[in-house]
Amino acid sequence: MKLSEKAEEILEALWIATEEEGDNAAQLSALGVAADDQALQELDRIAYVEIKGERVYLRHEGRADARMSVRRHRLAERLMMDILDLKGASGDERACEFEHLLRLGVDTKLCTLLNHPTTCPHGKPIPPGECCEAARASGETGVVALTELKAGENGEIAYLSTSDPKKMQKLMSMGVLPGNNLLLSRTYPTFIFKVGNSEFAVDDELAREIFVRKG
């Protein structure tokens, strides 16, 4: 069932209030809606919420969708702030817009790309999905920073997280580009790796900005 964007946002707020803040309901004023709000009535019609006076209760029927709404929002925050380097109010605003697109398995693909993060950039928990449980069970790690590889391991370069043009230029001159294969040969005192037939060394700081998909 596809809910309106505002209905999803109400579910998010209810999940946070009940599961993370310990309240059994949320005030209409805290949700920023009136009792006759169209999105709230949408949730009431499908028995996802129960409205009693000025308080709104999250029913059992709405818990799964509420949980997934929180998961999509916090994954979107990770994408905006970690990958696209959009931080602060700008990152929060873009995450709110993007989260509503993470349906039909897109959230699973994003979660795998981000290596199944457990918290959002603000330190709040990201409800795990089936992909997280499957990855833990199989030992698959998805995309990781170069610093997470061991000597002798290789992978395909997935993306570069740096926004510093000088660092980006340095990495590009080494051939560190998405799609290229990388073999890590040493991790201490510097990270030494091969791209093609050439070998390069980078410090820990730069290595943390190279993300690879383990081979």
Side-chain angles (χ1 to χ4, degrees):
M1 178 186 303
K2 184 176 180 179
L3 300 171
S4 67
E5 293 184 3
K6 189 171 181 181
E8 289 184 341
E9 290 166 3
I10 292 172
L11 286 179
E12 284 181 50
L14 285 171
W15 175 270
I16 292 169
T18 58
E19 294 298 318
E20 299 180 3
E21 296 175 356
D23 296 327
N24 64 351
Q27 294 285 341
L28 287 170
S29 57
L31 297 174
V33 298
D36 61 353
D37 182 271
Q38 186 175 350
L40 186 61
Q41 290 300 314
E42 174 187 350
L43 295 171
D44 187 41
R45 283 195 300 272
I46 58 176
Y48 273 18
V49 302
E50 183 176 0
I51 307 167
K52 292 185 177 180
E54 293 296 309
R55 293 173 68 79
V56 181
Y57 295 80
L58 178 63
R59 292 172 56 93
H60 174 76
E61 291 83 351
R63 287 177 56 81
D65 274 348
R67 180 179 180 277
M68 290 304 293
S69 293
V70 171
R71 171 174 164 79
R72 287 192 294 267
H73 180 88
R74 292 177 179 173
L75 284 173
E77 286 183 322
R78 275 289 175 200
L79 174 68
M80 295 301 158
M81 299 183 193
D82 294 356
I83 309 304
L84 302 182
D85 198 33
L86 295 173
K87 295 181 171 62
S90 176
D92 288 331
E93 182 180 348
R94 295 295 178 270
C96 286
E97 295 172 356
F98 189 75
E99 66 174 283
H100 302 293
L101 303 177
L102 298 181
R103 297 188 180 94
L104 300 176
V106 178
D107 61 317
T108 297
K109 293 182 182 298
L110 177 58
C111 188
T112 301
L113 173 67
L114 296 173
N115 193 29
H116 310 288
T118 57
T119 62
C120 75
H122 309 295
K124 297 177 181 178
I126 298 176
E130 292 182 4
C131 63
C132 304
E133 298 170 3
R136 282 195 293 268
S138 65
E140 295 178 359
T141 54
V143 175
V144 298
L146 182 60
T147 52
E148 298 298 314
L149 265 62
K150 298 177 182 178
E153 291 187 323
N154 64 80
E156 178 187 328
I157 300 167
Y159 61 86
L160 308 177
S161 68
T162 183
S163 58
D164 184 326
K166 290 184 178 179
K167 289 182 179 179
M168 182 66 74
Q169 185 177 9
K170 179 178 180 179
L171 291 172
M172 290 175 64
S173 69
M174 296 176 178
V176 180
L177 299 169
N180 286 349
N181 290 318
L182 178 152
L183 171 64
L184 183 65
S185 55
R186 196 169 75 183
T187 61
Y188 184 83
T190 58
F191 287 81
I192 297 178
F193 59 85
K194 285 185 177 181
V195 176
N197 295 320
S198 301
E199 189 170 69
F200 305 98
V202 296
D203 60 18
D204 181 81
E205 181 181 354
L206 196 54
R208 291 183 184 279
E209 296 182 326
I210 303 170
F211 285 78
V212 301
R213 185 173 290 104
K214 292 181 66 174

